[in-house]
Amino acid sequence: MTASTANAQRFREFKMPDVGEGLTEAEILKWYVQPGDTVTDGQVVCEVETAKAAVELPIPYTGVVHELRFGEGVTVDVGTAIIAVDTDPGAGPAEAPAAAPQEAAADEEAEPQGRQAVLVGYGAAPSSTKRRARKPQPGVPAQPEPAKAALQAELNGRAAPAAPATPVAPAVQPAPAAPAGSAVPAAGRPLAKPPVRKLAKDLGIDLATILPTGPDGIITREDVHAAATPAAAPAEAPAPVAVAAAEPGTVDTAARERRVPVKGVRKATAQAMVASAFTAPHVTEFITVDVTRTMKLVQELKQDPDMAGLRVNPLLLVAKAFLVALKRHPEANAAWDEANQEIVYKDYVNLGIAAATPRGLIVPNIKDAGAKTLPQLASELGDLVATAREGKTPPAAMAGGTVTITNVGVFGVDTGTPILNTGESAILAFGAVKLQPWVHKGKVKARQVTTLALSFDHRLVDGELGSKLLADVAAVLERPKRLITWG
């Protein structure tokens, strides 16, 4: 066994698992251990937030934490190692399981001798072209090539490149009294061909201010054009100033805005809502119903011994009414299989309950809700809501839903047009119950009234079926004894 193999067996890496159905990433919310802590097989080491919920991760190794690969708040792809554990801490000094960084550092130090790495590709290769040494001008001291380049850039009104530490001879510095972009003292007449002199004259450029780049110190046409470039710059300078000037009455709001990365539950919700809204053709219908008898039944059930210790509220009876209506119209409990071009009719109801949590909206569901008694439904509904508010809902609890209820009435809202949960056929919005004037037995009386809204996938549910489904839910809530006669 080689040393590297033994080292790999000693240091075990725990990778980010797929804790949901096909999730690709998760954010590390909190570490429960630190390097040097002892861990055992099955011990929870961190809490992560997936696109569906917060989940605690147990580690499958026993040993000492060697390294935490990522800090809290970092989003990590599934399959990436997040923690390394030394499974044999008594074997001697610990060695990093990764490749020795010294080799990489040595490579980085050696790299500047050739082409240097940049963000994309590599920088320019060192030039192998050698130029002929220029003959010095009479009376003008020789100067290094970098100094000439910097000086020419300065004369042309451009930013000078970074110069080496070699000091520039004072003789080549511009005269203090000269205007910006000019003044290179030169002894004698500058060397230039007649056409170049005419060009300089036409452009108003003094040849004495140009640093020659041609052979034997001759000024070229390119030198003249380069020196003339800054002349056009002042004419364009006022434009940025005008743009930068703030208009009267303009308020800068950037300091009062906050930007938050889209991730976790919020990201998953956004993707699901967009996919649903632009995939399933939505239809929403509304009905207003007198639920006075249902509200009385809620109060009676709270006193029933069979419901002792259970949370009884109007949502419980709305859920039961929805289940009874679906039993009468099972064709509405279906799913659209685009890949196989099939409609999947389901003989079970996994009832989703939209829950607002500190991390965003989630929709856990009660499995096989249609087969449960009222006390069983109340128990599971209470557990589902409590777990969701604590942020402990497992991904499995949010998978496989068939229909959903959203209780917007708890916010005092009359109703809305809910968007289908992806893959489901219908969603029922339960609005606020309010005391309103209502015609009851031929007289106007104050009754407890609510508005229901049903959105459904029009590929699966046509107008007649959707209308009958919503009407039956309202009928049960108007006369809750139908829970017995229809159930």
Side-chain angles (χ1 to χ4, degrees), residues 220-255:
T220 65
R221 297 179 63 91
E222 289 73 17
D223 296 338
V224 176
H225 283 299
T229 302
E236 301 176 358
V241 176
V243 174
E247 297 181 2
T250 302
V251 179
D252 184 10
T253 60

Side-chain angles (χ1 to χ4, degrees), residues 52-438:
K52 296 184 177 181
V55 181
E56 292 182 332
L57 298 183
I59 196 165
Y61 310 122
T62 296
V64 174
V65 177
H66 178 74
E67 180 184 8
L68 303 181
R69 298 291 173 83
F70 299 94
E72 296 176 355
V74 178
T75 299
V76 182
D77 291 338
V78 169
T80 303
I82 60 175
I83 182 175
V85 176
D86 184 356
T87 59
D88 189 12
E95 297 180 3
Q102 290 81 359
E103 296 179 5
D107 292 340
E108 292 178 1
E109 292 176 358
E111 193 173 41
Q113 297 177 4
R115 300 178 68 183
Q116 297 192 23
V118 291
L119 288 178
V120 179
Y122 288 84
S127 175
S128 59
T129 304
K130 295 184 179 180
R131 297 183 181 272
R132 183 181 60 179
R134 180 177 300 169
K135 296 180 180 180
Q137 293 290 321
V140 179
Q143 52 185 329
E145 285 296 328
K148 292 182 180 180
L151 183 55
Q152 181 66 64
E154 183 180 354
L155 291 174
N156 294 344
R158 301 169 183 156
T166 305
V168 180
V172 300
Q173 293 183 358
S182 62
V184 176
R189 189 183 183 199
L191 298 179
K193 294 180 180 180
V196 177
R197 292 183 182 277
K198 184 178 185 304
L199 176 63
K201 182 179 180 180
D202 293 340
L203 297 176
I205 303 299
D206 185 358
L207 291 177
T209 65
I210 301 177
L211 186 66
T213 62
D216 300 324
I218 296 177
I219 298 174
T220 65
R221 297 179 63 91
E222 289 73 17
D223 296 338
V224 176
H225 283 299
T229 302
E236 301 176 358
V241 176
V243 174
E247 297 181 2
T250 302
V251 179
D252 184 10
T253 60
R256 293 182 292 166
E257 296 177 348
R258 294 181 297 112
R259 292 179 178 269
V260 179
V262 179
K263 56 185 177 180
V265 175
R266 173 59 59 191
K267 181 178 180 180
T269 301
Q271 293 173 342
M273 292 299 96
V274 170
S276 175
F278 293 97
T279 301
H282 284 55
V283 173
T284 305
E285 296 186 338
F286 307 88
I287 190 169
T288 303
V289 58
D290 177 3
V291 293
T292 304
R293 292 187 178 94
T294 292
M295 300 304 290
K296 289 181 179 178
L297 180 58
V298 169
Q299 298 304 318
E300 293 174 3
L301 288 173
K302 289 182 178 180
Q303 308 302 321
D304 192 310
D306 291 335
M307 303 296 289
L310 299 175
R311 183 182 177 88
V312 179
N313 54 24
L315 179 61
L316 173 63
L317 294 186
V318 171
K320 192 64 177 178
F322 196 16
L323 293 170
V324 169
L326 284 168
K327 186 177 180 180
R328 288 168 57 86
H329 306 285
E331 299 86 358
N333 186 40
W336 184 272
D337 187 344
E338 181 68 28
N340 297 314
Q341 288 295 294
E342 296 175 341
I343 296 176
V344 182
Y345 292 100
K346 301 181 180 181
D347 297 329
Y348 59 91
V349 179
N350 290 345
L351 180 61
I353 305 295
T357 73
R359 293 191 177 94
L361 176 69
I362 63 173
V363 189
N365 59 76
I366 300 173
K367 308 299 184 189
D368 208 12
K372 299 187 183 299
T373 64
L374 191 63
Q376 291 173 337
L377 190 63
S379 176
E380 295 212 17
L381 183 59
D383 293 343
L384 178 148
V385 173
T387 303
R389 289 176 177 171
E390 294 173 359
K392 303 298 183 181
T393 302
M398 292 179 280
T402 61
V403 295
T404 293
I405 295 177
T406 176
N407 185 10
V408 297
V410 295
F411 306 109
V413 176
D414 291 335
T415 190
T417 54
I419 297 178
L420 292 167
N421 199 22
T422 305
E424 298 184 5
S425 60
I427 179 171
L428 179 70
F430 174 36
V433 178
K434 297 180 179 180
L435 201 63
Q436 295 182 14
W438 195 265

